[in-house]
Amino acid sequence: MKIFYRSILWVFFAIGCSCIVVNGNPVDYAAAVNSDNKIQRFYPNPATQYIHFQMDPSVDKSYTLEVFNFMGRKMSSQRVNATKLTIYFDDNYFRGLYIYQLKDRSGRIIESGKFQVSR
């Protein structure tokens, strides 16, 4: 029983340590650890008619952002030409999960993630 209570205390300690507050503001620890993201944020998520991708200013202009549906079909491909890229959804975008991939000139995946479309 003593081991059970000790393990419960460790769980509460781990939960408490995962929330870091700096100057009264909560800090996302995962974002602070992985600060070399090329795509800084994408919004709105879930999306309905479009989605914005905000890029790091250091992103190479030869990169391409590709969007795939959950079945693997390529839905769009756009060259990154600015720090903000908007993808508008046509009638082929249905409700569900979509995968985005930021690729370099040789096709190597630099960064990937997912977003949701709700129509």
Side-chain angles (χ1 to χ4, degrees):
M1 194 67 162
K2 190 177 192 180
I3 296 172
F4 173 74
Y5 287 122
R6 187 176 294 155
S7 63
I8 295 295
L9 285 174
W10 277 110
V11 169
F12 284 125
F13 176 74
I15 291 171
C17 290
S18 66
C19 180
I20 300 171
V21 177
V22 176
N23 294 333
N25 297 321
V27 175
D28 184 9
Y29 181 71
V33 170
N34 192 6
S35 62
D36 61 341
N37 290 343
K38 300 295 183 187
I39 299 176
Q40 292 179 336
R41 60 181 259 187
F42 53 95
Y43 60 93
N45 190 16
T48 55
Q49 298 174 345
Y50 57 86
I51 188 163
H52 298 291
F53 289 90
Q54 190 165 349
M55 308 288 178
D56 187 74
S58 68
V59 169
D60 190 358
K61 301 301 181 202
S62 68
Y63 285 179
T64 305
L65 184 73
E66 296 180 349
V67 175
F68 299 89
N69 67 8
F70 203 70
M71 299 297 289
R73 178 178 164 219
K74 187 188 293 187
M75 302 300 290
S76 75
S77 178
Q78 290 187 9
R79 183 161 304 247
V80 176
N81 54 7
T83 58
K84 188 173 182 182
L85 184 70
T86 302
I87 296 178
Y88 293 95
F89 303 145
D90 58 10
D91 292 337
N92 293 326
Y93 282 85
F94 298 109
R95 167 179 251 167
L97 288 176
Y98 290 82
I99 309 297
Y100 67 85
Q101 294 179 342
L102 184 65
K103 294 184 177 182
D104 65 3
R105 185 176 305 181
S106 66
R108 186 176 59 120
I109 298 173
I110 304 298
E111 190 173 333
S112 67
K114 62 186 177 209
F115 65 91
Q116 184 175 358
V117 171
S118 62
R119 292 187 141 191

